[in-house]
Amino acid sequence: MAAVCRLSSRFLVLSKNSVHIRNFSNYRNLNSARQNNVKLFSIIGGGVAAFVCANLLKTNTVHASSMSKIERMRKREDDKTIKLTPRERRFIKFASAEYNGQLYMTPQDFLDSVVEQEPRPRLKRRSIMTNDLNRIKDTTPALKKGSARMFRTLRDNGIISYTEYLFLLSVLTKPISGFRIAFNMFDTDGNQRVDKKEFLVMERIFSGAWKDKRGQTNDTKDKTNDDDTENDNDNDNESKKPEQDEKLNKEKQKKHAKDNVEDDYIDDEEGLQRKHKVDTTLQVHFFGKKGNNDLYYDGFYKFMDNLQTEVLELEFSEFSKGNIQISELDFAKILLRYTYLAADEYDKFLDRLLSRIKDEEQGITFEEFRDFCRFLNNLDDFAIAMRMYTLADRAISKNDFSRAVKICTGFTLSKHLIDTVFAIFDEDGDGLLSYKEFIAIMKDRLHRGLKSTTKAEGWDAFKICVKQDIRASRSAR
């Protein structure tokens, strides 16, 4: 810019000289002045052009640098999103309560996350205070007073942690035969009862897996191991003092007991695994307000059965609208609502059903619907039984289907329900079922879309979400 100013000054001086030359009418000098002016204008124009280009280049460089920074920030955000599993994202999406940086679902949030596509509208999450925790303890019923309406009765008067959310999801997909296995997993000492410390083992297992997946180290565990090593060395050095050894062992046991009860703090940025010493609704329900009750298998079985029944009642009532039955078409919509079928494929299943039942609609009762969903919880056993037909290269008839269900579950599905299932999934109407497609679709239904999306990212995940939204809107019609 300074160079341009200097050139401008020179131009003014020469301009004065040109006027003087014209006054004396000197042709030679005038021609020379004109040539100098042309050169001057060329120099000035080139300087201005160079200055403008330099500034444009600098602006574009700064702009490109800013865009690169924005892209890097977006990439970091995308990487953070990819690290979250579908269940983690869904918990964050539906959790409406927060306490000291830890996200919690309410009982109503959990029900919504299972049967709804989107959470209830809210401005922000509710911050839980100490008096709220005391109220939750007072309103949570004891295990012996549990029912198939407990979550609907508590609504927002309760809190459920992320690890408990995973536990409740597993309850919904457990067959009755798996209730005992689940109980025995908690009963670490094999005394046929579960105390609060054993139940909290589940949280440490999930939090440990969470850390491992994200490459975090467990500093608390390392510190505990170091302390244990020190104690062991002390025991070796003082092995000749039995009384001191016994005292050290007691202190060591107390320390381990304390470590088993207290939770680690994990800075996960999302608030999923920031665990505090908070008595959740499940802990109070299982172990009482003071946390000193034991959980026996009968109570555990009752809770799991009640929860499965409650979710199914909620889903059934969404379509029954107060009636004791739902239509066969609504039954098909419930089965297909969590699957990843394309829109035209989804419509094909419904059109096939409507063309086959015509005037033979009888409706599906809740008992029939519950029996079929319990059968789906045994879908893995059913798939094993169906492999016998694969080896024989045979499709499955209605009688074979009914027999396989009886073997896997111990109960018999009604004839009308089996006829409805075949009307939906029997592609060519020959009375035989292509059970491979049936099992694949029913697995999506069983896990309510969460299991299959673990491998879907980017565009594939977007297409899945679009299909689910379309299906949800059609099911609501």
Side-chain angles (χ1 to χ4, degrees):
M1 190 66 187
V4 174
C5 293
R6 287 194 298 271
L7 290 172
S8 300
S9 299
R10 290 184 60 190
F11 174 73
L12 292 175
V13 173
L14 290 174
S15 297
K16 292 180 181 179
N17 293 335
S18 66
V19 172
H20 176 74
I21 291 172
R22 283 197 301 271
N23 289 337
F24 282 94
S25 302
N26 192 324
Y27 175 78
R28 183 178 299 176
N29 291 338
L30 179 62
N31 187 43
S32 176
R34 287 176 178 175
Q35 292 177 355
N36 290 335
N37 288 342
V38 171
K39 293 179 180 179
L40 180 62
F41 278 119
S42 300
I43 294 172
I44 293 174
V48 172
F51 175 77
V52 172
C53 291
N55 279 275
L56 285 175
L57 180 61
K58 182 178 180 181
T59 302
N60 291 336
T61 303
V62 173
H63 181 67
S65 177
S66 300
M67 289 299 294
S68 178
K69 184 177 181 181
I70 293 174
E71 290 176 358
R72 288 197 299 269
M73 291 176 63
R74 287 177 177 174
K75 187 177 185 304
R76 284 198 295 267
E77 291 296 325
D78 292 339
D79 291 342
K80 184 185 296 183
T81 303
I82 291 174
K83 289 180 180 178
L84 295 175
T85 66
R87 288 187 175 92
E88 289 172 340
R89 290 196 292 266
R90 194 159 184 82
F91 181 87
I92 294 173
K93 186 177 183 179
F94 281 83
S96 65
E98 179 180 353
Y99 176 75
N100 199 13
Q102 169 77 54
L103 298 185
Y104 289 98
M105 275 185 174
T106 66
Q108 186 63 50
D109 291 338
F110 174 74
L111 294 178
D112 292 343
S113 71
V114 173
V115 300
E116 300 292 343
Q117 189 71 18
E118 297 293 332
R120 292 169 293 163
R122 62 173 183 267
L123 295 177
K124 61 179 182 179
R125 290 190 176 92
R126 176 170 59 97
S127 295
I128 299 176
M129 305 300 178
T130 304
N131 58 339
D132 296 322
L133 296 177
N134 294 331
R135 186 181 69 253
I136 288 172
K137 281 188 176 182
D138 294 334
T139 56
T140 302
L143 187 61
K144 61 182 179 181
K145 295 183 179 179
S147 68
R149 295 192 60 85
M150 187 181 77
F151 279 60
R152 284 173 286 183
T153 301
L154 289 175
R155 292 185 62 81
D156 292 327
N157 292 322
I159 53 174
I160 299 169
S161 68
Y162 173 67
T163 51
E164 292 172 343
Y165 165 71
L166 296 180
F167 163 66
L168 294 176
L169 287 181
S170 69
V171 168
L172 296 180
T173 60
K174 282 283 185 295
I176 294 178
S177 60
F179 287 5
R180 171 64 72 175
I181 297 175
F183 180 81
N184 290 338
M185 290 298 294
F186 288 110
D187 183 16
T188 56
D189 57 8
N191 63 352
Q192 301 303 309
R193 61 178 182 270
V194 176
D195 57 25
K196 187 176 179 180
K197 293 179 183 178
E198 290 176 314
F199 182 76
L200 292 178
V201 169
M202 173 188 65
E203 293 192 355
R204 291 196 299 278
I205 292 174
F206 280 115
S207 64
W210 193 93
K211 286 182 178 181
D212 293 340
K213 185 171 64 173
R214 287 159 175 79
Q216 298 182 5
T217 59
N218 194 338
D219 297 335
T220 304
K221 180 179 180 181
D222 295 340
K223 183 178 179 181
T224 301
N225 291 337
D226 293 340
D227 293 340
D228 292 344
T229 303
E230 291 179 3
N231 288 337
D232 291 338
N233 292 334
D234 292 340
N235 289 340
D236 293 337
N237 294 332
E238 301 179 7
S239 59
K240 297 181 181 180
K241 300 177 182 180
E243 293 181 358
Q244 293 182 1
D245 288 345
E246 184 178 356
K247 182 179 179 180
L248 287 172
N249 287 333
K250 288 182 179 180
E251 291 178 354
K252 187 176 177 181
Q253 291 174 359
K254 289 181 180 180
K255 184 178 183 300
H256 282 302
K258 184 179 179 181
D259 291 337
N260 287 337
V261 175
E262 293 181 352
D263 294 326
D264 299 336
Y265 178 89
I266 306 175
D267 186 10
D268 67 344
E269 298 183 1
E270 291 86 12
L272 285 174
Q273 295 288 339
R274 297 179 183 181
K275 296 196 289 294
H276 307 277
K277 294 179 63 176
V278 178
D279 291 328
T280 62
T281 299
L282 285 186
Q283 293 176 25
V284 176
H285 182 60
F286 286 158
F287 309 106
K289 295 180 181 180
K290 296 182 179 180
N292 55 1
N293 295 344
D294 289 334
L295 176 64
Y296 292 88
Y297 175 71
D298 290 342
F300 186 73
Y301 177 95
K302 181 180 179 182
F303 169 80
M304 297 183 73
D305 186 59
N306 283 338
L307 180 61
Q308 288 187 357
T309 301
E310 182 165 12
V311 171
L312 293 179
E313 284 180 352
L314 187 64
E315 198 166 18
F316 186 85
S317 63
E318 179 184 352
F319 288 87
S320 66
K321 309 299 183 183
N323 297 321
I324 61 174
Q325 292 180 330
I326 60 174
S327 67
E328 288 81 358
L329 182 63
D330 288 336
F331 175 72
K333 289 180 178 180
I334 294 177
L335 296 187
L336 300 176
R337 71 189 303 188
Y338 300 108
T339 58
Y340 303 128
L341 297 170
D344 56 343
E345 293 177 316
Y346 176 82
D347 291 337
K348 183 174 65 175
F349 279 101
L350 300 185
D351 293 340
R352 182 190 301 160
L353 172 65
L354 290 174
S355 65
R356 291 175 180 175
I357 58 175
K358 295 182 180 179
D359 298 330
E360 300 177 2
E361 294 188 25
Q362 300 180 24
I364 304 294
T365 65
F366 174 73
E367 288 72 20
E368 290 176 315
F369 173 67
R370 182 178 58 186
D371 287 345
F372 185 81
C373 291
R374 286 178 172 173
F375 150 67
L376 293 184
N377 288 346
N378 292 270
L379 198 60
D380 289 338
D381 293 337
F382 179 79
I384 294 174
M386 291 300 96
R387 288 173 191 167
M388 300 295 294
Y389 292 90
T390 303
L391 295 174
D393 195 21
R394 288 179 52 196
I396 183 173
S397 66
K398 294 180 181 179
N399 290 334
D400 294 332
F401 184 89
S402 178
R403 181 169 173 268
V405 171
K406 175 72 173 178
I407 294 172
C408 297
T409 64
F411 55 85
T412 304
L413 298 179
S414 69
K415 181 179 181 302
H416 174 62
L417 185 63
I418 294 178
D419 290 340
T420 303
V421 170
F422 271 68
I424 299 171
F425 295 100
D426 179 9
E427 186 173 356
D428 53 10
D430 61 354
L432 299 175
L433 187 66
S434 175
Y435 54 85
K436 289 184 179 179
E437 182 182 20
F438 168 76
I439 290 175
I441 293 176
M442 288 301 96
K443 280 188 176 181
D444 291 338
R445 153 66 200 181
L446 175 64
H447 297 284
R448 290 177 165 81
L450 287 176
K451 185 174 182 179
S452 297
T453 55
T454 54
K455 297 182 180 179
E457 298 291 348
W459 176 246
D460 291 335
F462 173 75
K463 290 191 292 184
I464 288 172
C465 290
V466 172
K467 290 179 182 179
Q468 287 181 329
D469 289 338
I470 294 174
R471 191 165 300 114
S473 62
R474 294 185 178 184
S475 299
R477 294 175 184 174

